[in-house]
Each structure stands twice: as structure tokens, then as C-alpha cells.
Amino acid sequence: MLANDRLEQVNPQRGKFRSFLLASVNHLLSDERDRATRQKRGGGQVVLSFDAQTAEERYRLEVVSEVAPERLFDRRWALALVQAVVRRLDRNVPAPARENSLPP
């Protein structure tokens, strides 16, 4: 309040000094409450855990291949994408509707 020269804005025709002080303190407390309760970036979001041990187990169980690592990565990425789509379809489309939409 003093740093912003707010006291120079006080005008007896606009109200009592006591009302000015009360409003100033209420604004200060509100700002402090907002500052104390705000969430940081990503606040309130679900945390996805990266389980390193699971990744290491999967890597250890992989078959050694002569295929280039880039090609192997692309293949695994495509398979993971297809699996995610199938899971999403299972959640969002009832089984009878899926059966009726597939060609014979």
C-alpha cells in the first residue's frame, strides 16, 4: 500500500479512511490466499508412472534381432498404437456394434 502510493488516492469525499484501510487489507489477504493455494504447472493432473523395472524386464526378455533398431522401434510403435486403438474401441463401442460393422 505504501510502495504503490495508494495513500495519495485517499479522498474524504469518496469515503472514510477506515473503509479504505479495510478494503486494502481484504485485497491483500485475498491475494495472499490466492498465492498460497494456487497450483503449479500440471497441478491436478493424473501422474503417469514410468516403471523402469518393467521396461528393463521387457528389454531383457526381448529376442535378439538382426533388424535395424530404427525399424524395430517403428514396428513396436505401430503395434503399441494399434493396441491403444483396440483398447479405446473396447471401451467406447459395444461388442454387438463392432461385430455388425466388420466385413464377413
Side-chain angles (χ1 to χ4, degrees):
M1 181 166 53
L2 294 175
N4 296 334
D5 295 325
R6 296 271 188 221
L7 288 177
E8 291 178 11
Q9 297 175 358
V10 175
N11 184 350
Q13 275 83 27
R14 292 181 63 200
K16 296 180 181 177
F17 183 67
R18 190 171 89 184
S19 299
F20 170 78
L21 285 178
L22 179 62
S24 297
V25 169
N26 283 337
H27 286 292
L28 175 71
L29 292 175
S30 176
D31 290 345
E32 287 299 318
R33 183 180 57 246
D34 290 345
R35 209 172 285 124
T37 59
R38 71 176 170 218
Q39 293 181 343
K40 301 297 180 187
R41 289 184 200 126
Q45 299 297 317
V46 177
V47 176
L48 297 177
S49 75
F50 176 76
D51 192 354
Q53 185 160 357
T54 303
E56 285 299 319
E57 280 294 315
R58 185 174 177 183
Y59 178 74
R60 189 176 58 79
L61 296 173
E62 290 287 330
V63 178
V64 177
S65 174
E66 298 296 321
V67 178
E70 295 84 10
R71 196 165 161 92
L72 201 55
F73 173 83
D74 289 341
R75 182 168 191 265
R76 288 185 187 142
W77 177 81
L79 286 172
L81 184 63
V82 168
Q83 289 172 347
V85 168
V86 169
R87 281 193 304 270
R88 184 180 245 174
L89 279 172
D90 285 342
R91 281 195 312 262
N92 297 330
V93 179
R98 279 196 314 267
E99 291 170 5
N100 293 336
S101 67
L102 296 175

